[in-house]
Amino acid sequence: MMIERSGLIVWVNDTKAARNLERFGSLHYISKKMNYAVLYIHASKLDETMRNLQKLPYVKKVERSYRNEIKTEYSSNMPDKTRFYTL
């Protein structure tokens, strides 16, 4: 049974305080250079969690990740052009 998860990009003021985001879900990555964190949560709790994250003093902005909506299955309808570039 797969649990449906959603990703959140949380822009923060302080990366040390971003470690506290683990209590909301699975903290995947914290960027010290760009001051953001990637957080995965249950899809059913998405709206509630986004509202709670916005209330935190060290959070600038919360964005939803659209990674699970991007098509990852590709089809090769185009002809293979590698034979034209051989020596």
Side-chain angles (χ1 to χ4, degrees), residues 36-68:
Y36 73 91
V38 178
L39 182 70
Y40 286 101
I41 59 169
H42 293 288
S44 61
K45 298 180 182 179
L46 180 67
D47 296 329
E48 177 187 348
T49 306
M50 285 180 73
R51 274 183 268 139
N52 290 339
L53 288 172
Q54 283 289 352
K55 294 177 185 177
L56 296 174
Y58 54 89
V59 173
K60 290 183 196 175
K61 181 171 63 168
V62 179
E63 295 178 355
R64 190 169 161 252
S65 174
Y66 295 102
R67 184 167 189 247
N68 58 349

PDB file of all heavy atoms in Angstrom, residues 36-68:
ATOM      1  N   TYR A  36      16.409  27.061   1.792  1.00  0.00           N
ATOM      2  CA  TYR A  36      15.123  26.400   1.618  1.00  0.00           C
ATOM      3  C   TYR A  36      15.235  24.961   2.102  1.00  0.00           C
ATOM      4  O   TYR A  36      16.327  24.424   2.263  1.00  0.00           O
ATOM      5  CB  TYR A  36      14.641  26.444   0.161  1.00  0.00           C
ATOM      6  CG  TYR A  36      15.378  25.526  -0.787  1.00  0.00           C
ATOM      7  CD1 TYR A  36      14.933  24.228  -1.016  1.00  0.00           C
ATOM      8  CD2 TYR A  36      16.514  25.957  -1.468  1.00  0.00           C
ATOM      9  CE1 TYR A  36      15.596  23.392  -1.880  1.00  0.00           C
ATOM     10  CE2 TYR A  36      17.182  25.127  -2.335  1.00  0.00           C
ATOM     11  CZ  TYR A  36      16.719  23.844  -2.543  1.00  0.00           C
ATOM     12  OH  TYR A  36      17.386  23.019  -3.405  1.00  0.00           O
ATOM     13  N   ALA A  37      14.075  24.359   2.339  1.00  0.00           N
ATOM     14  CA  ALA A  37      14.016  22.967   2.770  1.00  0.00           C
ATOM     15  C   ALA A  37      12.953  22.252   1.951  1.00  0.00           C
ATOM     16  O   ALA A  37      11.944  22.831   1.571  1.00  0.00           O
ATOM     17  CB  ALA A  37      13.670  22.887   4.251  1.00  0.00           C
ATOM     18  N   VAL A  38      13.204  20.973   1.666  1.00  0.00           N
ATOM     19  CA  VAL A  38      12.240  20.135   0.945  1.00  0.00           C
ATOM     20  C   VAL A  38      11.626  19.188   1.956  1.00  0.00           C
ATOM     21  O   VAL A  38      12.329  18.479   2.670  1.00  0.00           O
ATOM     22  CB  VAL A  38      12.928  19.345  -0.190  1.00  0.00           C
ATOM     23  CG1 VAL A  38      11.926  18.456  -0.897  1.00  0.00           C
ATOM     24  CG2 VAL A  38      13.599  20.282  -1.160  1.00  0.00           C
ATOM     25  N   LEU A  39      10.312  19.190   2.017  1.00  0.00           N
ATOM     26  CA  LEU A  39       9.575  18.448   3.018  1.00  0.00           C
ATOM     27  C   LEU A  39       8.507  17.617   2.319  1.00  0.00           C
ATOM     28  O   LEU A  39       7.801  18.120   1.445  1.00  0.00           O
ATOM     29  CB  LEU A  39       8.918  19.454   3.978  1.00  0.00           C
ATOM     30  CG  LEU A  39       8.129  18.968   5.144  1.00  0.00           C
ATOM     31  CD1 LEU A  39       9.059  18.337   6.174  1.00  0.00           C
ATOM     32  CD2 LEU A  39       7.401  20.127   5.781  1.00  0.00           C
ATOM     33  N   TYR A  40       8.399  16.340   2.679  1.00  0.00           N
ATOM     34  CA  TYR A  40       7.358  15.468   2.133  1.00  0.00           C
ATOM     35  C   TYR A  40       6.355  15.170   3.227  1.00  0.00           C
ATOM     36  O   TYR A  40       6.727  14.805   4.343  1.00  0.00           O
ATOM     37  CB  TYR A  40       7.958  14.166   1.596  1.00  0.00           C
ATOM     38  CG  TYR A  40       8.679  14.352   0.299  1.00  0.00           C
ATOM     39  CD1 TYR A  40      10.066  14.431   0.256  1.00  0.00           C
ATOM     40  CD2 TYR A  40       7.976  14.469  -0.886  1.00  0.00           C
ATOM     41  CE1 TYR A  40      10.733  14.616  -0.943  1.00  0.00           C
ATOM     42  CE2 TYR A  40       8.625  14.651  -2.090  1.00  0.00           C
ATOM     43  CZ  TYR A  40      10.000  14.719  -2.107  1.00  0.00           C
ATOM     44  OH  TYR A  40      10.647  14.910  -3.296  1.00  0.00           O
ATOM     45  N   ILE A  41       5.061  15.327   2.881  1.00  0.00           N
ATOM     46  CA  ILE A  41       3.984  15.113   3.844  1.00  0.00           C
ATOM     47  C   ILE A  41       2.901  14.260   3.190  1.00  0.00           C
ATOM     48  O   ILE A  41       2.906  14.040   1.986  1.00  0.00           O
ATOM     49  CB  ILE A  41       3.393  16.450   4.323  1.00  0.00           C
ATOM     50  CG1 ILE A  41       2.858  17.240   3.138  1.00  0.00           C
ATOM     51  CG2 ILE A  41       4.400  17.254   5.095  1.00  0.00           C
ATOM     52  CD1 ILE A  41       2.044  18.430   3.534  1.00  0.00           C
ATOM     53  N   HIS A  42       1.944  13.797   3.999  1.00  0.00           N
ATOM     54  CA  HIS A  42       0.791  13.080   3.469  1.00  0.00           C
ATOM     55  C   HIS A  42      -0.064  14.056   2.662  1.00  0.00           C
ATOM     56  O   HIS A  42      -0.271  15.197   3.065  1.00  0.00           O
ATOM     57  CB  HIS A  42      -0.052  12.481   4.590  1.00  0.00           C
ATOM     58  CG  HIS A  42       0.649  11.400   5.330  1.00  0.00           C
ATOM     59  ND1 HIS A  42       0.878  10.154   4.799  1.00  0.00           N
ATOM     60  CD2 HIS A  42       1.183  11.373   6.577  1.00  0.00           C
ATOM     61  CE1 HIS A  42       1.512   9.409   5.674  1.00  0.00           C
ATOM     62  NE2 HIS A  42       1.720  10.128   6.770  1.00  0.00           N
ATOM     63  N   ALA A  43      -0.556  13.604   1.519  1.00  0.00           N
ATOM     64  CA  ALA A  43      -1.339  14.472   0.638  1.00  0.00           C
ATOM     65  C   ALA A  43      -2.650  14.912   1.283  1.00  0.00           C
ATOM     66  O   ALA A  43      -3.151  15.994   0.991  1.00  0.00           O
ATOM     67  CB  ALA A  43      -1.621  13.761  -0.677  1.00  0.00           C
ATOM     68  N   SER A  44      -3.180  14.113   2.168  1.00  0.00           N
ATOM     69  CA  SER A  44      -4.441  14.473   2.812  1.00  0.00           C
ATOM     70  C   SER A  44      -4.283  15.630   3.799  1.00  0.00           C
ATOM     71  O   SER A  44      -5.243  16.327   4.095  1.00  0.00           O
ATOM     72  CB  SER A  44      -5.031  13.255   3.529  1.00  0.00           C
ATOM     73  OG  SER A  44      -4.136  12.807   4.529  1.00  0.00           O
ATOM     74  N   LYS A  45      -3.068  15.863   4.285  1.00  0.00           N
ATOM     75  CA  LYS A  45      -2.826  16.921   5.260  1.00  0.00           C
ATOM     76  C   LYS A  45      -2.144  18.141   4.639  1.00  0.00           C
ATOM     77  O   LYS A  45      -1.606  18.972   5.349  1.00  0.00           O
ATOM     78  CB  LYS A  45      -1.937  16.392   6.378  1.00  0.00           C
ATOM     79  CG  LYS A  45      -2.532  15.250   7.155  1.00  0.00           C
ATOM     80  CD  LYS A  45      -1.591  14.791   8.228  1.00  0.00           C
ATOM     81  CE  LYS A  45      -2.157  13.614   8.977  1.00  0.00           C
ATOM     82  NZ  LYS A  45      -1.251  13.134  10.010  1.00  0.00           N
ATOM     83  N   LEU A  46      -2.191  18.264   3.315  1.00  0.00           N
ATOM     84  CA  LEU A  46      -1.445  19.304   2.622  1.00  0.00           C
ATOM     85  C   LEU A  46      -1.880  20.714   3.009  1.00  0.00           C
ATOM     86  O   LEU A  46      -1.051  21.537   3.412  1.00  0.00           O
ATOM     87  CB  LEU A  46      -1.584  19.109   1.106  1.00  0.00           C
ATOM     88  CG  LEU A  46      -0.856  20.122   0.242  1.00  0.00           C
ATOM     89  CD1 LEU A  46       0.641  19.961   0.396  1.00  0.00           C
ATOM     90  CD2 LEU A  46      -1.269  19.972  -1.200  1.00  0.00           C
ATOM     91  N   ASP A  47      -3.160  21.014   2.917  1.00  0.00           N
ATOM     92  CA  ASP A  47      -3.643  22.374   3.195  1.00  0.00           C
ATOM     93  C   ASP A  47      -3.416  22.776   4.646  1.00  0.00           C
ATOM     94  O   ASP A  47      -2.985  23.897   4.939  1.00  0.00           O
ATOM     95  CB  ASP A  47      -5.124  22.487   2.846  1.00  0.00           C
ATOM     96  CG  ASP A  47      -5.374  22.298   1.365  1.00  0.00           C
ATOM     97  OD1 ASP A  47      -4.482  22.661   0.576  1.00  0.00           O
ATOM     98  OD2 ASP A  47      -6.456  21.792   1.012  1.00  0.00           O
ATOM     99  N   GLU A  48      -3.695  21.861   5.545  1.00  0.00           N
ATOM    100  CA  GLU A  48      -3.532  22.136   6.975  1.00  0.00           C
ATOM    101  C   GLU A  48      -2.067  22.400   7.316  1.00  0.00           C
ATOM    102  O   GLU A  48      -1.743  23.326   8.054  1.00  0.00           O
ATOM    103  CB  GLU A  48      -4.064  20.948   7.778  1.00  0.00           C
ATOM    104  CG  GLU A  48      -3.889  21.083   9.264  1.00  0.00           C
ATOM    105  CD  GLU A  48      -4.269  19.800   9.979  1.00  0.00           C
ATOM    106  OE1 GLU A  48      -4.877  18.897   9.369  1.00  0.00           O
ATOM    107  OE2 GLU A  48      -3.941  19.703  11.174  1.00  0.00           O
ATOM    108  N   THR A  49      -1.178  21.601   6.757  1.00  0.00           N
ATOM    109  CA  THR A  49       0.246  21.746   7.034  1.00  0.00           C
ATOM    110  C   THR A  49       0.789  23.038   6.447  1.00  0.00           C
ATOM    111  O   THR A  49       1.607  23.717   7.078  1.00  0.00           O
ATOM    112  CB  THR A  49       1.025  20.549   6.475  1.00  0.00           C
ATOM    113  OG1 THR A  49       0.453  19.354   6.994  1.00  0.00           O
ATOM    114  CG2 THR A  49       2.474  20.606   6.867  1.00  0.00           C
ATOM    115  N   MET A  50       0.325  23.417   5.254  1.00  0.00           N
ATOM    116  CA  MET A  50       0.788  24.667   4.647  1.00  0.00           C
ATOM    117  C   MET A  50       0.380  25.873   5.493  1.00  0.00           C
ATOM    118  O   MET A  50       1.168  26.811   5.669  1.00  0.00           O
ATOM    119  CB  MET A  50       0.237  24.810   3.231  1.00  0.00           C
ATOM    120  CG  MET A  50       0.940  23.925   2.231  1.00  0.00           C
ATOM    121  SD  MET A  50       0.321  24.083   0.562  1.00  0.00           S
ATOM    122  CE  MET A  50       0.977  25.674   0.107  1.00  0.00           C
ATOM    123  N   ARG A  51      -0.821  25.843   6.041  1.00  0.00           N
ATOM    124  CA  ARG A  51      -1.256  26.944   6.918  1.00  0.00           C
ATOM    125  C   ARG A  51      -0.426  26.996   8.191  1.00  0.00           C
ATOM    126  O   ARG A  51      -0.041  28.074   8.643  1.00  0.00           O
ATOM    127  CB  ARG A  51      -2.733  26.776   7.279  1.00  0.00           C
ATOM    128  CG  ARG A  51      -3.652  27.376   6.241  1.00  0.00           C
ATOM    129  CD  ARG A  51      -5.084  27.258   6.643  1.00  0.00           C
ATOM    130  NE  ARG A  51      -5.528  25.984   6.037  1.00  0.00           N
ATOM    131  CZ  ARG A  51      -6.298  25.094   6.626  1.00  0.00           C
ATOM    132  NH1 ARG A  51      -6.757  25.299   7.813  1.00  0.00           N
ATOM    133  NH2 ARG A  51      -6.638  23.981   6.019  1.00  0.00           N
ATOM    134  N   ASN A  52      -0.117  25.835   8.771  1.00  0.00           N
ATOM    135  CA  ASN A  52       0.686  25.802   9.996  1.00  0.00           C
ATOM    136  C   ASN A  52       2.116  26.251   9.745  1.00  0.00           C
ATOM    137  O   ASN A  52       2.723  26.908  10.603  1.00  0.00           O
ATOM    138  CB  ASN A  52       0.684  24.394  10.598  1.00  0.00           C
ATOM    139  CG  ASN A  52      -0.664  24.015  11.164  1.00  0.00           C
ATOM    140  OD1 ASN A  52      -1.473  24.878  11.474  1.00  0.00           O
ATOM    141  ND2 ASN A  52      -0.911  22.730  11.283  1.00  0.00           N
ATOM    142  N   LEU A  53       2.666  25.917   8.592  1.00  0.00           N
ATOM    143  CA  LEU A  53       4.030  26.333   8.274  1.00  0.00           C
ATOM    144  C   LEU A  53       4.129  27.837   8.060  1.00  0.00           C
ATOM    145  O   LEU A  53       5.126  28.453   8.435  1.00  0.00           O
ATOM    146  CB  LEU A  53       4.527  25.597   7.027  1.00  0.00           C
ATOM    147  CG  LEU A  53       4.854  24.119   7.195  1.00  0.00           C
ATOM    148  CD1 LEU A  53       5.148  23.494   5.848  1.00  0.00           C
ATOM    149  CD2 LEU A  53       6.026  23.931   8.131  1.00  0.00           C
ATOM    150  N   GLN A  54       3.119  28.437   7.469  1.00  0.00           N
ATOM    151  CA  GLN A  54       3.135  29.880   7.238  1.00  0.00           C
ATOM    152  C   GLN A  54       3.161  30.671   8.542  1.00  0.00           C
ATOM    153  O   GLN A  54       3.665  31.788   8.580  1.00  0.00           O
ATOM    154  CB  GLN A  54       1.908  30.311   6.424  1.00  0.00           C
ATOM    155  CG  GLN A  54       1.998  30.001   4.962  1.00  0.00           C
ATOM    156  CD  GLN A  54       3.005  30.878   4.240  1.00  0.00           C
ATOM    157  OE1 GLN A  54       3.542  31.824   4.788  1.00  0.00           O
ATOM    158  NE2 GLN A  54       3.260  30.537   3.002  1.00  0.00           N
ATOM    159  N   LYS A  55       2.645  30.086   9.604  1.00  0.00           N
ATOM    160  CA  LYS A  55       2.578  30.776  10.898  1.00  0.00           C
ATOM    161  C   LYS A  55       3.918  30.801  11.633  1.00  0.00           C
ATOM    162  O   LYS A  55       4.084  31.563  12.573  1.00  0.00           O
ATOM    163  CB  LYS A  55       1.531  30.116  11.793  1.00  0.00           C
ATOM    164  CG  LYS A  55       0.122  30.259  11.271  1.00  0.00           C
ATOM    165  CD  LYS A  55      -0.846  29.513  12.157  1.00  0.00           C
ATOM    166  CE  LYS A  55      -2.239  29.549  11.587  1.00  0.00           C
ATOM    167  NZ  LYS A  55      -3.192  28.757  12.393  1.00  0.00           N
ATOM    168  N   LEU A  56       4.865  29.968  11.205  1.00  0.00           N
ATOM    169  CA  LEU A  56       6.150  29.902  11.899  1.00  0.00           C
ATOM    170  C   LEU A  56       6.960  31.172  11.640  1.00  0.00           C
ATOM    171  O   LEU A  56       6.953  31.704  10.530  1.00  0.00           O
ATOM    172  CB  LEU A  56       6.929  28.669  11.433  1.00  0.00           C
ATOM    173  CG  LEU A  56       6.292  27.324  11.767  1.00  0.00           C
ATOM    174  CD1 LEU A  56       7.086  26.197  11.119  1.00  0.00           C
ATOM    175  CD2 LEU A  56       6.222  27.122  13.262  1.00  0.00           C
ATOM    176  N   PRO A  57       7.685  31.653  12.645  1.00  0.00           N
ATOM    177  CA  PRO A  57       8.397  32.936  12.484  1.00  0.00           C
ATOM    178  C   PRO A  57       9.593  32.878  11.540  1.00  0.00           C
ATOM    179  O   PRO A  57       9.970  33.894  10.975  1.00  0.00           O
ATOM    180  CB  PRO A  57       8.855  33.257  13.909  1.00  0.00           C
ATOM    181  CG  PRO A  57       8.851  31.958  14.623  1.00  0.00           C
ATOM    182  CD  PRO A  57       7.788  31.120  13.988  1.00  0.00           C
ATOM    183  N   TYR A  58      10.178  31.724  11.331  1.00  0.00           N
ATOM    184  CA  TYR A  58      11.360  31.620  10.479  1.00  0.00           C
ATOM    185  C   TYR A  58      11.044  31.208   9.048  1.00  0.00           C
ATOM    186  O   TYR A  58      11.949  31.021   8.232  1.00  0.00           O
ATOM    187  CB  TYR A  58      12.375  30.638  11.083  1.00  0.00           C
ATOM    188  CG  TYR A  58      11.829  29.267  11.393  1.00  0.00           C
ATOM    189  CD1 TYR A  58      11.843  28.265  10.444  1.00  0.00           C
ATOM    190  CD2 TYR A  58      11.299  28.979  12.648  1.00  0.00           C
ATOM    191  CE1 TYR A  58      11.343  27.007  10.728  1.00  0.00           C
ATOM    192  CE2 TYR A  58      10.799  27.732  12.938  1.00  0.00           C
ATOM    193  CZ  TYR A  58      10.826  26.755  11.975  1.00  0.00           C
ATOM    194  OH  TYR A  58      10.332  25.515  12.248  1.00  0.00           O
ATOM    195  N   VAL A  59       9.771  31.112   8.688  1.00  0.00           N
ATOM    196  CA  VAL A  59       9.362  30.706   7.340  1.00  0.00           C
ATOM    197  C   VAL A  59       8.978  31.945   6.536  1.00  0.00           C
ATOM    198  O   VAL A  59       8.154  32.753   6.957  1.00  0.00           O
ATOM    199  CB  VAL A  59       8.177  29.718   7.401  1.00  0.00           C
ATOM    200  CG1 VAL A  59       7.641  29.436   6.010  1.00  0.00           C
ATOM    201  CG2 VAL A  59       8.615  28.431   8.070  1.00  0.00           C
ATOM    202  N   LYS A  60       9.608  32.096   5.358  1.00  0.00           N
ATOM    203  CA  LYS A  60       9.279  33.202   4.456  1.00  0.00           C
ATOM    204  C   LYS A  60       8.089  32.857   3.573  1.00  0.00           C
ATOM    205  O   LYS A  60       7.133  33.619   3.471  1.00  0.00           O
ATOM    206  CB  LYS A  60      10.450  33.509   3.528  1.00  0.00           C
ATOM    207  CG  LYS A  60      11.641  34.118   4.156  1.00  0.00           C
ATOM    208  CD  LYS A  60      12.652  34.401   3.064  1.00  0.00           C
ATOM    209  CE  LYS A  60      14.009  34.656   3.626  1.00  0.00           C
ATOM    210  NZ  LYS A  60      15.016  34.812   2.564  1.00  0.00           N
ATOM    211  N   LYS A  61       8.199  31.694   2.900  1.00  0.00           N
ATOM    212  CA  LYS A  61       7.191  31.317   1.912  1.00  0.00           C
ATOM    213  C   LYS A  61       7.134  29.799   1.817  1.00  0.00           C
ATOM    214  O   LYS A  61       8.141  29.128   1.998  1.00  0.00           O
ATOM    215  CB  LYS A  61       7.593  31.929   0.566  1.00  0.00           C
ATOM    216  CG  LYS A  61       6.658  31.652  -0.571  1.00  0.00           C
ATOM    217  CD  LYS A  61       6.987  32.460  -1.824  1.00  0.00           C
ATOM    218  CE  LYS A  61       8.321  32.151  -2.398  1.00  0.00           C
ATOM    219  NZ  LYS A  61       8.535  32.706  -3.744  1.00  0.00           N
ATOM    220  N   VAL A  62       5.949  29.276   1.519  1.00  0.00           N
ATOM    221  CA  VAL A  62       5.756  27.832   1.325  1.00  0.00           C
ATOM    222  C   VAL A  62       5.199  27.620  -0.074  1.00  0.00           C
ATOM    223  O   VAL A  62       4.192  28.212  -0.442  1.00  0.00           O
ATOM    224  CB  VAL A  62       4.790  27.241   2.374  1.00  0.00           C
ATOM    225  CG1 VAL A  62       4.586  25.765   2.143  1.00  0.00           C
ATOM    226  CG2 VAL A  62       5.302  27.492   3.766  1.00  0.00           C
ATOM    227  N   GLU A  63       5.890  26.778  -0.860  1.00  0.00           N
ATOM    228  CA  GLU A  63       5.443  26.462  -2.211  1.00  0.00           C
ATOM    229  C   GLU A  63       5.185  24.969  -2.326  1.00  0.00           C
ATOM    230  O   GLU A  63       5.871  24.167  -1.698  1.00  0.00           O
ATOM    231  CB  GLU A  63       6.511  26.840  -3.238  1.00  0.00           C
ATOM    232  CG  GLU A  63       6.797  28.298  -3.329  1.00  0.00           C
ATOM    233  CD  GLU A  63       7.898  28.598  -4.327  1.00  0.00           C
ATOM    234  OE1 GLU A  63       8.501  27.653  -4.867  1.00  0.00           O
ATOM    235  OE2 GLU A  63       8.153  29.783  -4.555  1.00  0.00           O
ATOM    236  N   ARG A  64       4.230  24.621  -3.143  1.00  0.00           N
ATOM    237  CA  ARG A  64       3.919  23.219  -3.394  1.00  0.00           C
ATOM    238  C   ARG A  64       4.815  22.715  -4.518  1.00  0.00           C
ATOM    239  O   ARG A  64       5.035  23.413  -5.506  1.00  0.00           O
ATOM    240  CB  ARG A  64       2.456  23.099  -3.799  1.00  0.00           C
ATOM    241  CG  ARG A  64       1.964  21.712  -3.855  1.00  0.00           C
ATOM    242  CD  ARG A  64       0.445  21.710  -3.993  1.00  0.00           C
ATOM    243  NE  ARG A  64       0.076  20.417  -4.473  1.00  0.00           N
ATOM    244  CZ  ARG A  64      -0.353  20.171  -5.704  1.00  0.00           C
ATOM    245  NH1 ARG A  64      -0.498  21.144  -6.552  1.00  0.00           N
ATOM    246  NH2 ARG A  64      -0.646  18.962  -6.071  1.00  0.00           N
ATOM    247  N   SER A  65       5.336  21.526  -4.382  1.00  0.00           N
ATOM    248  CA  SER A  65       6.170  20.926  -5.414  1.00  0.00           C
ATOM    249  C   SER A  65       5.283  20.188  -6.406  1.00  0.00           C
ATOM    250  O   SER A  65       4.399  19.428  -6.011  1.00  0.00           O
ATOM    251  CB  SER A  65       7.163  19.947  -4.782  1.00  0.00           C
ATOM    252  OG  SER A  65       7.864  19.262  -5.777  1.00  0.00           O
ATOM    253  N   TYR A  66       5.538  20.392  -7.691  1.00  0.00           N
ATOM    254  CA  TYR A  66       4.745  19.746  -8.730  1.00  0.00           C
ATOM    255  C   TYR A  66       5.494  18.565  -9.340  1.00  0.00           C
ATOM    256  O   TYR A  66       5.209  18.141 -10.440  1.00  0.00           O
ATOM    257  CB  TYR A  66       4.386  20.760  -9.813  1.00  0.00           C
ATOM    258  CG  TYR A  66       3.480  21.835  -9.294  1.00  0.00           C
ATOM    259  CD1 TYR A  66       3.956  23.099  -8.974  1.00  0.00           C
ATOM    260  CD2 TYR A  66       2.134  21.579  -9.084  1.00  0.00           C
ATOM    261  CE1 TYR A  66       3.126  24.076  -8.483  1.00  0.00           C
ATOM    262  CE2 TYR A  66       1.284  22.545  -8.590  1.00  0.00           C
ATOM    263  CZ  TYR A  66       1.793  23.798  -8.295  1.00  0.00           C
ATOM    264  OH  TYR A  66       0.959  24.759  -7.799  1.00  0.00           O
ATOM    265  N   ARG A  67       6.438  18.016  -8.629  1.00  0.00           N
ATOM    266  CA  ARG A  67       7.260  16.928  -9.161  1.00  0.00           C
ATOM    267  C   ARG A  67       6.437  15.682  -9.473  1.00  0.00           C
ATOM    268  O   ARG A  67       6.686  15.007 -10.462  1.00  0.00           O
ATOM    269  CB  ARG A  67       8.359  16.571  -8.172  1.00  0.00           C
ATOM    270  CG  ARG A  67       9.284  15.523  -8.708  1.00  0.00           C
ATOM    271  CD  ARG A  67      10.525  15.420  -7.859  1.00  0.00           C
ATOM    272  NE  ARG A  67      11.481  14.561  -8.529  1.00  0.00           N
ATOM    273  CZ  ARG A  67      11.842  13.380  -8.079  1.00  0.00           C
ATOM    274  NH1 ARG A  67      11.343  12.925  -6.963  1.00  0.00           N
ATOM    275  NH2 ARG A  67      12.700  12.652  -8.733  1.00  0.00           N
ATOM    276  N   ASN A  68       5.456  15.359  -8.655  1.00  0.00           N
ATOM    277  CA  ASN A  68       4.671  14.149  -8.899  1.00  0.00           C
ATOM    278  C   ASN A  68       3.687  14.319 -10.050  1.00  0.00           C
ATOM    279  O   ASN A  68       3.111  13.348 -10.513  1.00  0.00           O
ATOM    280  CB  ASN A  68       3.939  13.703  -7.629  1.00  0.00           C
ATOM    281  CG  ASN A  68       3.022  14.760  -7.093  1.00  0.00           C
ATOM    282  OD1 ASN A  68       3.038  15.898  -7.520  1.00  0.00           O
ATOM    283  ND2 ASN A  68       2.208  14.397  -6.125  1.00  0.00           N
TER     284      ASN A  68
END
